[in-house]
């Protein structure tokens, strides 16, 4: 598939979903922001969708936070102490913590949150394997009793998805969504102003007490809010969003279409820059509960068929410097990255031979339901190329184009196809999982407890567990190389290449933070 065909199809699809232009941006106390998707779920445990992660950064707080150098810093925790050779941890909450409903944050709320988080998050699962008991001996103290030392305990609790909420919400079944958004973070979620499909509103939490020590950096340190309101206006058509940015109707566009970047860079007083250095790693995800992708040989044929360079040309051809290929499990150039087996990810592809290989692997022509989001241009471009390849090698493809929110809902289904199930969806993997195995959701092979697709892979699980016990970085790197080798033999997804996504905002937006979109710390100087 040619790049111009992908872009033309993406533009046509986006135009069909375009919304009317919004009003001119408000004054210095309101930030008008265009997110990459509509907010479908308010539960940071139920989904790993980036849009929910970004909302969570505003509404919730975490016990620890990560700074811009990916180092863990105390956040809700005032102090910690360890005993018994690292097998007992006591974390003391800082003063002034309160939920948006006015109730004081108590240690038992944190314990309930931790337990729920650890059911579904890979880092949390690794932590709980080493936990004999987590309790709240007092209102301000959280106690862990471990069966073996786990120095990465603060790192696990620094995950954005370990978002502290009242016990009454945290006791919700992790497989179901919480009914309301009550956190203790610097912003409140304004449910009354929610317009599904287009608008999310946050208001400053005037009762929030920033921590007194530390340096503001990423989601660590004092979270000081300088604005009263943040309004997310989801604009699915990139052209409309671009015009709104140019004309001052919005202040900040999270993910400008890469093909519009050259134009955006000409706009007066607008900056376009990469803030998230963890990148976006393309992912064609298999559902391994049902045929045909319960068959490892068929999954390997798909892996062999995809050319990362071709995919990234469609995604980031307007600025090739943003793309990175070839990639394995981790971002090239980071400590855990490996070059083992990367030959499979690029080079000329013999589709006729691959079609024969697919038949020999046991594919019988059954329908393959592919979910693809049209409202995120980078996903839609990747999906067009990937699905074209699936068709060329002989799959009976049913491509179902939809908005990203519908993909988020559908991918959670474990039902067969005749009951709304799926075989493949496309997404991007971002965040700390791109640079270390600990929080990586896509490599795990722990069956029903795994990420969407629910693969079972004993070898990967063995190596993943061993990584936490490794004595030094060299040993961790060796295990990551072995993990990548095992992955190519039994893939849970297909890495489709990687790119860095710039963000664009007016120059009067000062102190826009590094990393993911956050609204504390920044100032609107107009």
């Amino acid at each position: 598939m040619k790049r111009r065909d992908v872009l033309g199809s993406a533009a046509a699809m986006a135009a069909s979903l375009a919304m009317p232009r919004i009003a001119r941006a408000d004054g210095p106390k309101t930030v008008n922001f265009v997110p990459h998707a509509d907010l479908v779920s308010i539960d940071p445990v139920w989904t790993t969708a980036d849009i929910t992660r970004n909302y969570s950064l505003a509404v919730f707080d975490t016990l620890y936070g990560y700074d811009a150098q990916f180092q863990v810093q105390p956040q809700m925790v005032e102090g910690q102490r360890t005993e018994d050779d690292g097998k007992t941890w006591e974390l003391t909450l800082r003063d002034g913590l309160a939920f948006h409903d006015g109730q004081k944050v108590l240690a038992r709320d944190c314990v309930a949150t931790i337990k729920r988080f650890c059911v579904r998050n890979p880092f949390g699962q690794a932590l709980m394997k080493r936990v004999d008991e987590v309790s709240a001996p007092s209102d301000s103290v959280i106690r862990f009793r471990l069966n073996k030392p786990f120095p990465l305990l603060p790192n696990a609790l620094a995950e954005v998805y370990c978002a502290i909420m009242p016990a009454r919400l945290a006791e919700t079944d992790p497989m179901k969504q919480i009914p309301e958004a009550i956190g203790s973070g610097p912003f409140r979620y304004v449910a009354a102003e929610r317009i599904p499909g287009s608008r999310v509103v946050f208001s400053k939490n005037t009762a929030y007490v920033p921590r007194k020590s530390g340096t503001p950096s990423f989601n660590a340190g004092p979270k000081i809010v300088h604005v009263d309101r943040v309004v997310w206006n989801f604009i699915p058509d990139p052209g409309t969003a671009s015009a709104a940015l140019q004309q001052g109707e919005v202040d900040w566009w999270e993910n400008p279409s890469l093909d519009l970047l050259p134009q955006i860079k000409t706009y007066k007083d607008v900056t376009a820059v990469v803030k998230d250095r963890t990148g976006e790693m393309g992912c064609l995800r298999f559902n391994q509960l049902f045929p045909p992708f319960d068959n490892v040989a068929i999954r390997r044929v798909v892996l062999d068929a995809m050319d990362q360079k071709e995919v990234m040309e469609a995604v980031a051809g307007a600025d090739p410097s943003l793309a990175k290929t070839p990639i394995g499990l981790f971002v090239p150039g980071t400590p855990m990255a490996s070059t083992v087996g990367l030959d499979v990810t690029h080079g000329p592809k013999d589709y006729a031979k691959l079609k024969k290989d697919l038949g020999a692997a046991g594919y019988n022509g059954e329908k393959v339901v592919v979910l693809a989001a049209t409202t995120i241009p980078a996903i839609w471009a990747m999906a067009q190329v990937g699905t074209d390849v699936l068709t060329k090698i002989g799959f009976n493809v049913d491509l179902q184009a939809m908005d990203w929110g519908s993909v988020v809902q559908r991918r959670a289904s474990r039902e067969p196809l005749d009951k709304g199930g799926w075989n493949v969806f496309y997404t991007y993997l971002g965040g700390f999982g791109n640079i270390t195995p600990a929080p990586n959701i896509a490599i795990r092979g722990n069956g029903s407890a795994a990420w969407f697709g629910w693969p079972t892979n004993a070898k990967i699980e063995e190596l993943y567990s061993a990584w936490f016990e490794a004595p030094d970085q060299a040993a961790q790197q060796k295990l990551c190389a072995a993990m990548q080798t095992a992955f190519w033999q039994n893939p849970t997804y297909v890495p489709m290449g990687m790119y860095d996504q710039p963000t664009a905002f007016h120059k009067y937006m000062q102190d826009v933070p590094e990393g993911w979109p956050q609204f504390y710390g920044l100032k609107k100087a107009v």
Side-chain angles (χ1 to χ4, degrees):
M1 176 169 283
K2 299 296 185 182
R3 174 176 159 75
R4 62 178 175 270
D5 297 329
V6 171
L7 298 179
S9 177
M13 184 65 69
S16 70
L17 295 169
M19 64 174 285
R21 282 168 48 184
I22 60 174
R24 180 161 294 276
D26 296 315
K29 290 299 184 179
T30 297
V31 172
N32 281 282
F33 176 77
V34 180
H36 71 272
D38 185 39
L39 179 66
V40 174
S41 174
I42 59 171
D43 191 339
V45 168
W46 185 83
T47 184
T48 55
D50 287 352
I51 193 69
T52 299
R53 175 201 66 194
N54 296 346
Y55 134 92
S56 184
L57 284 164
V59 173
F60 298 96
D61 221 341
T62 50
L63 295 171
Y64 294 85
Y66 280 100
D67 64 23
Q69 287 71 48
F70 308 129
Q71 299 300 308
V72 171
Q73 307 293 342
Q75 186 54 38
M76 297 174 74
V77 169
E78 183 64 39
Q80 66 182 46
R81 68 185 186 91
T82 60
E83 298 177 341
D84 191 21
D85 296 324
K87 290 194 291 185
T88 298
W89 290 67
E90 287 195 349
L91 316 179
T92 302
L93 297 176
R94 61 184 175 88
D95 293 334
L97 300 174
F99 291 116
H100 300 155
D101 61 4
Q103 298 298 308
K104 183 178 179 181
V105 176
L106 302 176
R108 63 174 175 267
D109 299 305
C110 302
V111 169
T113 297
I114 291 165
K115 288 180 176 179
R116 185 171 187 262
F117 156 77
C118 287
V119 172
R120 299 194 63 170
N121 182 273
F123 209 163
Q125 291 166 351
L127 167 62
M128 288 307 286
K129 282 185 178 181
R130 294 155 176 84
V131 172
D132 285 337
E133 180 187 34
V134 56
S135 62
S138 73
D139 286 348
S140 61
V141 174
I142 306 159
R143 178 182 294 153
F144 286 86
R145 296 193 186 278
L146 309 181
N147 51 51
K148 62 172 66 175
F150 193 64
L152 294 177
L153 183 147
N155 301 64
L157 301 182
E159 285 286 291
V160 173
Y161 310 100
C162 191
I164 303 301
M165 60 185 67
R168 63 181 176 83
L169 295 179
E171 289 164 358
T172 302
D173 182 340
M175 300 301 170
K176 298 179 180 179
Q177 299 189 58
I178 57 174
E180 59 180 325
I182 301 293
S184 65
F187 288 92
R188 298 170 181 263
Y189 172 72
V190 186
E193 296 190 53
R194 169 74 169 125
I195 302 176
S198 64
R199 186 178 175 93
V200 178
V201 177
F202 305 92
S203 65
K204 179 179 179 178
N205 176 14
T206 57
Y208 183 76
V209 179
R211 67 175 300 111
K212 296 177 181 178
S213 61
T215 301
S217 180
F218 199 17
N219 70 322
K223 297 178 179 179
I224 300 172
V225 176
H226 301 286
V227 298
D228 293 338
R229 283 167 57 88
V230 176
V231 180
W232 288 7
N233 295 288
F234 175 50
I235 306 175
D237 174 35
T240 303
S242 178
L245 181 70
Q246 181 185 27
Q247 296 170 21
E249 295 171 353
V250 299
D251 304 307
W252 182 3
W253 183 11
E254 179 187 1
N255 67 324
S257 172
L258 301 187
D259 291 285
L260 293 176
L261 272 178
Q263 176 184 336
I264 290 168
K265 288 178 179 179
T266 68
Y267 293 169
K268 183 180 179 181
D269 297 327
V270 169
T271 295
V273 63
V274 173
K275 288 285 187 177
D276 177 10
R277 295 294 174 180
T278 62
E280 300 287 345
M281 301 178 77
C283 170
L284 181 159
R285 182 67 169 184
F286 302 112
N287 186 343
Q288 294 186 214
L289 295 183
F290 303 105
F293 297 119
D294 58 344
N295 181 331
V296 63
I298 290 177
R299 297 198 302 275
R300 281 202 298 263
V301 173
V302 178
L303 174 67
D304 290 343
M306 296 297 167
D307 184 339
Q308 291 183 3
K309 185 176 180 180
E310 181 183 0
V311 174
M312 285 298 110
E313 283 176 350
V315 172
D319 189 347
S321 68
L322 296 171
K324 293 183 176 70
T325 62
I327 63 165
L329 298 180
F330 305 105
V331 176
T334 59
M336 297 301 125
S338 171
T339 59
V340 171
L342 290 183
D343 287 348
V344 73
T345 68
H346 58 88
K349 304 293 182 179
D350 186 339
Y351 294 130
K353 178 181 182 301
L354 287 162
K355 191 171 185 177
K356 291 180 181 178
D357 292 343
L358 184 62
Y363 178 62
N364 296 313
E366 57 264 47
K367 181 171 70 174
V368 171
V369 172
V370 176
L371 310 181
T374 61
T375 50
I376 300 178
I379 289 182
W380 185 237
M382 172 173 61
Q384 294 253 357
V385 176
T387 304
D388 185 52
V389 171
L390 292 176
T391 302
K392 284 179 178 177
I393 65 175
F395 281 103
N396 174 18
V397 174
D398 177 8
L399 175 61
Q400 299 189 9
M402 60 191 69
D403 63 88
W404 175 242
S406 297
V407 174
V408 169
Q409 297 285 354
R410 282 280 298 278
R411 69 181 183 176
S413 173
R414 305 189 192 207
E415 297 292 338
L417 297 190
D418 60 357
K419 294 184 178 180
W422 57 276
N423 297 113
V424 163
F425 75 87
Y426 296 94
T427 189
Y428 284 91
L429 306 173
F432 301 130
N434 287 358
I435 56 178
T436 170
N440 190 303
I441 57 177
I443 61 173
R444 296 296 304 277
N446 51 334
S448 62
W451 190 49
F452 310 113
W454 308 283
T456 298
N457 188 323
K459 182 61 176 178
I460 288 286
E461 286 299 292
E462 175 188 337
L463 293 167
Y464 179 82
S465 295
W467 186 87
F468 290 97
E469 311 298 332
D472 52 37
Q473 187 178 88
Q476 289 179 330
Q477 291 170 328
K478 185 176 180 179
L479 285 162
C480 283
M483 206 178 297
Q484 189 157 297
T485 298
F487 176 86
W488 300 133
Q489 293 301 312
N490 190 355
T492 57
Y493 68 97
V494 178
M496 302 285 274
M498 174 183 172
Y499 77 99
D500 289 326
Q501 173 65 59
T503 193
F505 49 87
H506 284 273
K507 292 180 180 178
Y508 57 70
M509 298 293 292
Q510 298 179 356
D511 300 325
V512 174
E514 298 296 315
W516 309 317
Q518 298 155 88
F519 302 95
Y520 36 81
L522 64 79
K523 300 172 184 175
K524 186 177 176 182
V526 294

